[in-house]
Amino acid sequence: MSDILDELFDVLARRRNADPADSYVATLHHEGLNKILEKVGEEATETVLAAKDAEAGGEAQRKALVAETADLWFHSLVMLSHLGLDHQAVLDELARRFGISGHEEKATRSK
């Protein structure tokens, strides 16, 4: 899975400084963090709604949920890129948490 994330991260990095007329990613970066965050929020909402539909739905609703989740992940990667963060940091954090109880992990977070 990380191979596609690595490839996507490289593409996002190249398109960050591209001409906004030629690249959706460049347009997002050009419009700034607030626009990127707006897209992340929009995609998060659409993912939640798709999940509700998928719970009682069929294959089409499940595919729609996967598509919305892909949109959410994509825009989250654009956000990380805009802030100069690498997706590997997120993967490393998930790896760090692996095998730790969710209750235990949450209790160790600084407040």
Side-chain angles (χ1 to χ4, degrees):
M1 176 174 80
S2 65
D3 289 343
I4 190 64
L5 290 178
D6 291 340
E7 290 177 38
L8 182 55
F9 184 78
D10 290 343
V11 170
L12 292 176
R14 286 193 309 271
R15 292 185 182 167
R16 180 175 182 172
N17 296 314
D19 183 348
D22 297 331
S23 168
Y24 174 67
V25 171
T27 299
L28 288 172
H29 285 294
H30 180 75
E31 292 181 359
L33 182 60
N34 284 344
K35 181 61 175 180
I36 295 167
L37 296 176
E38 179 183 307
K39 289 301 296 179
V40 171
E42 175 185 312
E43 298 302 341
T45 299
E46 290 175 1
T47 301
V48 168
L49 295 173
K52 293 296 287 179
D53 291 343
E55 182 178 36
E59 189 62 24
Q61 288 78 16
R62 297 175 74 75
K63 285 182 180 182
L65 174 57
V66 169
E68 291 299 345
T69 302
D71 290 346
L72 176 59
W73 287 12
F74 174 83
H75 286 90
S76 295
L77 289 171
V78 172
M79 175 190 65
L80 291 171
S81 173
H82 189 79
L83 294 170
L85 295 168
D86 191 313
H87 68 287
Q88 189 60 50
V90 176
L91 296 176
D92 292 345
E93 177 62 13
L94 289 171
R96 183 192 70 76
R97 294 179 185 187
F98 193 79
I100 299 173
S101 156
H103 295 298
E104 181 182 332
E105 191 281 327
K106 190 172 182 179
T108 64
R109 292 184 201 171
S110 60
K111 299 189 186 224

